[in-house]
Amino acid sequence: MAKTHRPSPLEMMNDLSLREIVWRALQEDIGTGDVSASLIPDNIEAKAHIVSKSKGVIAGLILVKLTFKILDERISFIPELQDGQRVEKGDIIASVEGQARSILMGERVALNFLQRLSGIATKTATFVEAVKGYPVRIVDTRKTTPNLRLLEKYAVRVGGGYNHRFGLYDAVMIKDNHIVALGSISEAVRKAREAIPHTMKVEVEVTNLEQVREALRARADIIMLDNMSPEDMKEAVQIIDREALVEASGNITLDNIRKIAQTGVDVISSGAITHSAGILDMSLDFEEKNDDKSYNL
Amino acid sequence: MAKTHRPSPLEMMNDLSLREIVWRALQEDIGTGDVSASLIPDNIEAKAHIVSKSKGVIAGLILVKLTFKILDERISFIPELQDGQRVEKGDIIASVEGQARSILMGERVALNFLQRLSGIATKTATFVEAVKGYPVRIVDTRKTTPNLRLLEKYAVRVGGGYNHRFGLYDAVMIKDNHIVALGSISEAVRKAREAIPHTMKVEVEVTNLEQVREALRARADIIMLDNMSPEDMKEAVQIIDREALVEASGNITLDNIRKIAQTGVDVISSGAITHSAGILDMSLDFEEKNDDKSYNL
Amino acid sequence: MAKTHRPSPLEMMNDLSLREIVWRALQEDIGTGDVSASLIPDNIEAKAHIVSKSKGVIAGLILVKLTFKILDERISFIPELQDGQRVEKGDIIASVEGQARSILMGERVALNFLQRLSGIATKTATFVEAVKGYPVRIVDTRKTTPNLRLLEKYAVRVGGGYNHRFGLYDAVMIKDNHIVALGSISEAVRKAREAIPHTMKVEVEVTNLEQVREALRARADIIMLDNMSPEDMKEAVQIIDREALVEASGNITLDNIRKIAQTGVDVISSGAITHSAGILDMSLDFEEKNDDKSYNL
Amino acid sequence: MAKTHRPSPLEMMNDLSLREIVWRALQEDIGTGDVSASLIPDNIEAKAHIVSKSKGVIAGLILVKLTFKILDERISFIPELQDGQRVEKGDIIASVEGQARSILMGERVALNFLQRLSGIATKTATFVEAVKGYPVRIVDTRKTTPNLRLLEKYAVRVGGGYNHRFGLYDAVMIKDNHIVALGSISEAVRKAREAIPHTMKVEVEVTNLEQVREALRARADIIMLDNMSPEDMKEAVQIIDREALVEASGNITLDNIRKIAQTGVDVISSGAITHSAGILDMSLDFEEKNDDKSYNL
Amino acid sequence: MAKTHRPSPLEMMNDLSLREIVWRALQEDIGTGDVSASLIPDNIEAKAHIVSKSKGVIAGLILVKLTFKILDERISFIPELQDGQRVEKGDIIASVEGQARSILMGERVALNFLQRLSGIATKTATFVEAVKGYPVRIVDTRKTTPNLRLLEKYAVRVGGGYNHRFGLYDAVMIKDNHIVALGSISEAVRKAREAIPHTMKVEVEVTNLEQVREALRARADIIMLDNMSPEDMKEAVQIIDREALVEASGNITLDNIRKIAQTGVDVISSGAITHSAGILDMSLDFEEKNDDKSYNL
Amino acid sequence: MAKTHRPSPLEMMNDLSLREIVWRALQEDIGTGDVSASLIPDNIEAKAHIVSKSKGVIAGLILVKLTFKILDERISFIPELQDGQRVEKGDIIASVEGQARSILMGERVALNFLQRLSGIATKTATFVEAVKGYPVRIVDTRKTTPNLRLLEKYAVRVGGGYNHRFGLYDAVMIKDNHIVALGSISEAVRKAREAIPHTMKVEVEVTNLEQVREALRARADIIMLDNMSPEDMKEAVQIIDREALVEASGNITLDNIRKIAQTGVDVISSGAITHSAGILDMSLDFEEKNDDKSYNL
């Protein structure tokens, strides 16, 4: 994937929490100790390569590095690629070198992170590719794996997508239930504005054109068209006429996404790019020893 | 899915850690506060139903209950089904009743857990179904989501599968790297036996029949046939002749799984049932109010 | 303070983190055990009242309740007032009843929370009062006590103020350093828009009218006038002409705040309402026993 | 402030907990990531100075260092002063040098710590100054910010004050409620001695001279004169005649503190030096670049 | 053991930390789930008794209760005795009733706590018994199990002993290294007094009578006679003449303790009562079912 | 102790959790700060030796290293021996060199760990010695100190023993209660096999020869002879005839252990090697200074 001119997506991550997530994952796998790796004498060094077993976009190398460094700070981590780059089957993504025992101990955790995030980046890239040429953003949702949201939203950015709000706390989303409870779209928006910081936006979810007009009158910052037909979306875009951002949502697939992009919406949000991405398959291959000096595993 | 005679799979979970996982997930989503739900007056009560949007096996209801109870202990959680039961599109899985605000606040976290685990149970059930009639177990691997392994392995049991080891700590797995480092399969097994508790088993991963024979001579408890052809697997089963458990592994798909079961192996392990299960899609639907007394959302 | 029609500010707090903060504070004070309270026999019951020692606005009663409930769930907590209400010297704010030992053990922690938050609410209310009649918000900043931001921002809302962003993560703030690094205001805004979620706003800090015009052209959502004179602020408001929100910042005091409000800015942000609020002084007074039956402490 | 001959107050702090407090504070501010700092390319280096905006005593430089080191270990932290030294408006307190992005990210947290602690040290120094020439200690109370007590008590020491007990666990304090519950001062002291380690002291709070005599007879280690008149304090000091330490407490202000010191008490305790100290105002100023090689921010 | 008139020792414990310690211990034992207890159907109820297998003093029942309550709040915990009471072999200490599965799951953790603490209380009681008639305290040291100090010091109190300082933070202990570093005992005491809160005591460790005199002149609060002969201890007591508390320390055994008590020291400290107490052996015995209605395990 | 050919037992420990355990232990001891060590100027360096005060086997040096490194990373830790080696009274085990203050601060925690673990290794070695010549393993139980199991089981390995299961999660243990609840030994084993991973073993506890035969027929992996006479054990071994591992358990002492080994059992499990090991006594001795240049403490 050609790297975009956007600031490196890595920079938006909170590095401070990554160590904690990786540490937990290592604890989960190692528990009271790796009974297999402990059999290997501690003077055996090895070098191993993370190799892609299919085609896709890489995301999450920092987690591979952290996994091995937390386990054993003497391990060298050598990235051969960077997050955001495309791989073909057989490409070496990164290498690690150090005590064979430590490499074996971290292998599964490192791959579990990298495969999952690369899977999300890859799926996102497919969606982004599908709308090429249209000025529309592919964004994620809150349908992420519990306790991995920060990582999965990062993978979406790596894949060329953008993020929607990070949680319930950083933007208002007014849905039908809020509207029923508060009386009307305009009343809901008014109450939201009165309660929230002036630094925060209000998004309204609508299902028909009448609601589009009401949300527009209520001066919503973003209007989300939920499960509307492409025809209605097109009309909604015309009604809104740049007075609010327009987001399309609901059952977005590779089949219909280009059609939706053509309606002129600003943003298309998809849960599938995170919750149904699958993994990008990889393996950790140990280098063969070919002399009696170096890697003897 | 007809419930098996196995002890309820729920009982093997460590309930103590569940609250912590759910608590974290709620913190991740709510952060400094739910700016949308806070708009709804606290005297508005509601009832809502979790409805399946496709066909599958339910797993993880305890997490839905915990999500809402941790948020607001006055919420009633009414399961309409139990983990392990099959649903069709439109079936009500569970209901929640209480402050509308609390229900809205917990909705996403609850569904994120339930959809993911039900997706795994559903995929597992498909694999289990595919080998029906053969005395073989479908088991998981360590290819699980970091920090959710306990839950995902539970979902595999709910779907009719079985668990492989839980981590690096509860069984020895001797792979090619261990064999190279330790000299031979028999030396590796011997060293493992000498180091580990007598309560622990030793599994050896082999790739050809010669290694099968060696592992058998070394008295491995379990012999894993890695990426071998069905024909070789069949022969391996005959060679081993019940002296060790036989596990088939590597690129197991719905297409080839029955063929593998026919080889007579005891266990088939699959990473895909956890890492590529996708979700079972669901929604939380609020009940319409039909009089002016009760649920007014 | 007359309660506004805004949603109760309490509802925007993340209740899940409060227990943890209070638990820590209790641990900090109690350590290995309260060597004084432990002298009191456990059959001695008492009733005590939290009494204001000066005039102000109450904020943080939930923390008082949590402090005592976490220590001893049998303690009754009886709020006599609600957050946001004004008190005069001598007013009873809340009462607690239960084991004398538990009340003594929680006294200091409960008061430390309540006094601090009420101090912030009181100071905020003074600022809000000072701009009465003008359509301007008093908002807080990130100049809060480390690890108590959520609580202090809550107290600002209780005092009639509003919140600015909660941290570095929920809105972009472009300051002079960003502008230097990125070339120009317009380039900085453009890069920000390209990187952040469409649900997020961009604020630009400016120090003169030329920058005001540039920020406006760059379509900033919010323009912060930093340490500008009231005259320049007035002109800035006219230039901006409702195309962006206008925030005044820098050395806001009770003396100059009304003058600033008169310039027509939408928002006035003040660090002093959190970092220099002082406390609202209170005491916990035990009820005298007047017969030999009831409270014998 | 001339450094006293006391052991460096820093040494009494438990360094192990500082990292945790700073880490939490960074998490609180950065959350899911600094969306503004992330815009700045990672090859931009900068140097910035922490400059005092008013007159006072510096406390808490270790926290500034930790803030930046935890964020980015490559940042150089150069203290220009040490804790306990006085500053005038415009003085440079410390400098930091490294990635501009990291400096911007840590700025607010670092200043929030340093300003608050320096505020406490400054206020304490004023009180200490006011009693100059009298052999009396100014000590703090437990009226500290929840979860920052260790730091605030450190700042008191830096300002020339001393600490009272750290919590409910390290000394007995017998107040009126204990006396009522246990029958008399002497009975309360006796019961305390019987229960506590022989390494721990017993302090009794009294409000009149009769109680002073009773506490003395009960052999209290410390007698606290609560809200007594200077005349009564003087008499109490004579009655006690060095048989116990004498502590004055209650409404200590800059106006009355010297008068109280003149009574001959050993210790004057003040809640105001922690709970109402306000901050010592500072700013982080980036160095201008004056050539095209070095700091280009 | 006849209960003393001291305040119940339980009250000096910080209950807040107990739940955390027990929770961790349960996690340590249960890990990913109790694979044996999970076999037992959840409708099987049982009643079981904790029975002493030898003679001693009970300590730690609260931990037994917490263990079972944290696992399963429906379990009834029925203490038959209270901490501090003596048991003979065969005595029932407490009973639990509820799901058989939960009882089996908590059994080991509950016993591990109770046996260890009762072992310490028992050993302490033996030491206390041995000095009966002398006005001397048996106290513990900091030679406790890492991370269980609070519990072990509690058990010492239950056994009739007293506590020494809880850690490095709540009293000064000047040993030879401090004296060498600071020049002399008197200089060390002077520096300590100058640095520490007035609420804290200073103890000096001495090894000969000359040092006793020096420590006395330096006005130490407590003088610890380290490994001195009974004759020297006696003389030291006379020299000190109630001007400081006198503590005997070093190789205290049941054989020599009475002789040491006779020297007139106030306090005898022993590491052995915690670090070498061994356990008080117990078992959890399930009640036989004698009809087909009730407990069917 | 001659080092065995087993893989270094250290390698089976999960190093990741050690830092956390040591950190907690330091916090427990240091609390708000070491008031004694803080008196020592920070320019005083020292060297000190950990010296054994009796005869035994060393275990836990890594914890000593971690204790000092966590406190002060500039401290040099110089092990003079390795875990598993025997010491006589007076032997130097390890040395530390650095700031005197830091060494004093970490002394107690370091020794508390090392003494306890060495005590366990020493006791285990005695048991191992006692069965010398017999092909039998001495193994531990779950009767370990709460929250230190990992360390104590490590010490058992260091002493020449082996580990039993680590918790309730890594092997099935069927006891009388399970048998009663499930109907029979064979039914219990069958249900266990059906529920657990194929990687896990099933152990059955029996008390007589009839049960031995039943457990054998049920194909248990391990049969534990609980409190049986040596004669019955011998017969059981013959009955079982290598078809299952045979474990002897119950009241194992130095007196009877050799007799039990002679019965031909494979494994002897003992709770006493962990719960009643006592400590191996040691001291930290500071080096005398013998010139005016080097260590001046």
Side-chain angles (χ1 to χ4, degrees), chain C residues 20-21 24-25 27-37 39-41 44 104-105 107-109 112-113 115-116 142-150 152 165-175 177-178 180-182 188 191-192 195-197 200 251 274-276 278-279 281 286 296-297, chain D residues 20-21 24-25 27-37 39-41 44 104-105 107-109 112-113 115-116 142-150 152 165-175 177-178 180-182 188 191-192 195-197 200 251 274-276 278-279 281 286 296-297:
Chain C
E20 198 178 328
I21 290 173
R24 276 179 204 282
Q27 287 286 25
E28 181 185 57
D29 200 27
I30 298 178
T32 49
D34 181 341
V35 286
S36 312
L39 303 173
I40 297 182
I44 297 192
L104 286 166
M105 218 179 291
E107 170 182 359
R108 187 74 265 139
V109 168
N112 280 351
F113 276 118
Q115 292 184 145
R116 168 171 298 269
R142 285 165 47 242
K143 296 179 180 175
T144 54
T145 308
N147 301 327
L148 293 184
R149 184 172 292 168
L150 191 64
E152 295 189 351
R165 59 178 178 160
F166 274 74
L168 295 165
Y169 54 88
D170 60 342
V172 171
M173 171 74 77
I174 292 173
K175 303 194 176 190
N177 294 311
H178 300 88
V180 171
L182 298 171
K191 286 212 164 114
I196 63 173
M200 212 177 265
N251 294 318
T274 51
H275 70 55
S276 300
I279 64 161
D281 206 10
F286 280 77
N296 53 357
L297 181 64
Chain D
E20 197 178 328
I21 290 172
R24 276 177 204 283
Q27 286 287 24
E28 181 185 59
D29 200 28
I30 299 178
T32 49
D34 182 342
V35 287
S36 311
L39 303 171
I40 298 181
I44 298 193
L104 287 166
M105 218 180 289
E107 169 181 3
R108 186 75 265 138
V109 168
N112 281 352
F113 276 118
Q115 292 184 144
R116 167 171 300 268
R142 287 166 45 243
K143 295 180 180 176
T144 54
T145 308
N147 301 327
L148 292 183
R149 183 172 292 167
L150 191 63
E152 295 189 350
R165 59 176 178 161
F166 275 75
L168 295 165
Y169 53 88
D170 59 343
V172 171
M173 173 73 78
I174 292 173
K175 302 194 176 190
N177 295 310
H178 300 87
V180 171
L182 297 171
K191 286 213 165 113
I196 63 174
M200 210 175 265
N251 294 318
T274 50
H275 69 55
S276 299
I279 64 161
D281 206 10
F286 279 78
N296 52 356
L297 180 63

Side-chain angles (χ1 to χ4, degrees), chain A residues 25-36:
Chain A
L26 282 167
Q27 285 287 24
E28 181 186 57
D29 200 27
I30 298 177
T32 49
D34 182 341
V35 287
S36 311

Side-chain angles (χ1 to χ4, degrees), chain F residues 190-210:
Chain F
R190 201 189 59 70
K191 287 215 164 113
R193 292 271 187 236
E194 174 60 20
I196 64 175
H198 64 288
T199 52
M200 211 176 264
K201 287 189 179 178
V202 175
E203 176 161 3
V204 177
E205 180 183 308
V206 300
T207 53
N208 57 51
L209 296 174
E210 189 185 352

